[in-house]
Amino acid sequence: MCLSVSCVDTAGAKVYNTPLRSIITGMDYGDGVLVIGHKSPDCDAIFSAMTYASLLQRMGINAEARVAGKVICEPLYVLREAGIEAPAILDDAAGRNIIMTDHSEFAQAADGMSSARILHIIDHHGTGSVTTPQPLFYFALPVGSTCTIIASMYEELGEKPTTTEARLMLSGILSDTDNLTSTTTTATDQRLYEWLWQQSDISDVETYYAAMRKARTSFDGMTDEDILFSDYKEYEIEGYKVGIGNIISSDELGVEELCQRMRQIMPAVRERQGLDMLFMMLGDSQANVTHIPFCGDGSKEAAEAGFGASATPDGCVVTTYISSRKTQFLPAITEGIRQTNV
């Protein structure tokens, strides 16, 4: 639904004066604002931050994108193909003016976020632990990608993305929805996918996505800890601090070997991160299976209860393929923790 009340022509382009524009431009950004996604930054976190910062700049707001950790694998491939550099890493958000994209959990945020001045949250997950003392612009939609939300804002505001902006937002949608095959995919994702594709410089999206996926599952030069943290998030579940990693197996590194290697390092990672429980989603879409190694008191019982399967002798629960941490894994493990820790 369009909320436009009027439009003006500037340099031949339509710019819509909408309530959305008025709200965003009417806020106090001080001397500038940093736009940043979650730790272990993936395509959606990085590219939603970059393209939202660009959209804010068009509205006269001094906004810059940052990342909350080293950029590797799939997003690094996308940036190289686009011929642009990754944003700088933000080591400490304390005292800064911040916009959070693709997350609303302090546990997933850059260090110091609890002491930052958070002005916007743009997200497609459930509400997290972030609270603010001042009024907050919170834009959340039940879609498959935060880049879908950013694209909808470009459209609503009458701002046509550049070919690079369209490429980045499309890449975020491709990654987070597994090229529109994930259970999280909506009609809105599909429509804006097509809109962005038409404005990008990607001629063959299927070939491009296949290259993205190959980059995502290429672990060359990575330590086992690099692999574990390549797609990793932390949550507060029923009073427990829980880490959940998500890795897709490849021809070079199968799910059984992944499970063995992750189990060897998980105890040390759990202790260092201060976690009560640590789980990994190790998926093999071709075999339609996901292996779930676990670590921490109560984690075995929670995994067994959540996924309705007994753990194997080597310390994994095996279930049918899980494509989404947000809509499949997280609800199941939350219910498992609730059942076994009452």
Side-chain angles (χ1 to χ4, degrees), residues 7-64:
C7 65
V8 295
D9 288 330
T10 58
K14 285 186 176 181
V15 178
Y16 293 93
N17 294 322
T18 69
L20 179 61
R21 184 182 295 271
S22 298
I23 291 168
I24 292 173
T25 58
M27 297 181 69
D28 177 14
Y29 298 92
D31 59 356
V33 64
L34 301 179
V35 189
I36 187 168
H38 53 72
K39 287 182 176 179
S40 298
D42 59 9
C43 285
D44 200 35
I46 297 168
F47 304 144
S48 61
M50 292 177 70
T51 53
Y52 193 48
S54 181
L55 180 61
L56 295 176
Q57 291 165 12
R58 295 183 185 209
M59 292 187 277
I61 297 165
N62 180 16
E64 296 182 23

Side-chain angles (χ1 to χ4, degrees), residues 10 36 64-65 68 73 75 143 147 163 184 229 259 286-288 297 310 316 340:
T10 58
I36 187 168
E64 296 182 23
C73 298
V143 292
C147 281
T163 55
T184 62
F229 284 111
C259 190
Q286 292 185 340
N288 193 35
D297 292 343
S310 298
C316 278
T340 57

Side-chain angles (χ1 to χ4, degrees), residues 212-262:
M212 284 179 59
R213 187 176 178 87
K214 183 177 181 180
R216 181 179 177 185
T217 59
S218 175
F219 305 119
D220 290 345
M222 297 173 64
T223 68
D224 286 350
E225 283 203 10
D226 288 337
I227 295 171
L228 187 152
F229 284 111
S230 63
D231 187 357
Y232 169 85
K233 291 183 178 180
E234 293 181 358
Y235 303 87
E236 292 289 339
I237 302 176
E238 299 293 315
Y240 295 92
K241 187 177 180 181
V242 179
I244 303 172
N246 180 20
I247 305 171
I248 297 175
S249 64
S250 65
D251 293 339
E252 294 78 17
L253 188 55
V255 68
E256 290 83 5
E257 183 180 352
L258 268 173
C259 190
Q260 181 181 4
R261 288 168 60 169
M262 291 301 101

Side-chain angles (χ1 to χ4, degrees), residues 70-89:
K70 182 180 178 182
V71 178
I72 58 175
C73 298
E74 188 179 45
L76 185 60
Y77 167 80
V78 172
L79 290 168
R80 286 174 175 169
E81 286 294 299
I84 54 179
E85 297 291 329
I89 294 175

Side-chain angles (χ1 to χ4, degrees), residues 94-138:
R96 308 298 293 268
N97 295 326
I98 295 289
I99 291 172
M100 301 172 66
T101 69
D102 200 33
H103 69 309
S104 62
E105 294 273 4
F106 282 129
Q108 300 170 12
D111 292 344
M113 192 64 77
S114 61
S115 299
R117 179 171 175 256
I118 301 168
L119 299 172
H120 299 194
I121 296 176
I122 315 294
D123 196 15
H124 70 127
H125 301 93
T127 53
S129 59
V130 173
T131 58
T132 64
Q134 75 285 338
L136 172 72
F137 177 71
Y138 197 118

Side-chain angles (χ1 to χ4, degrees), residues 197-209:
W197 183 14
Q198 292 167 10
Q199 298 177 80
S200 75
D201 56 357
I202 300 171
S203 57
D204 184 344
V205 72
E206 296 296 334
T207 299
Y208 176 71
Y209 173 70

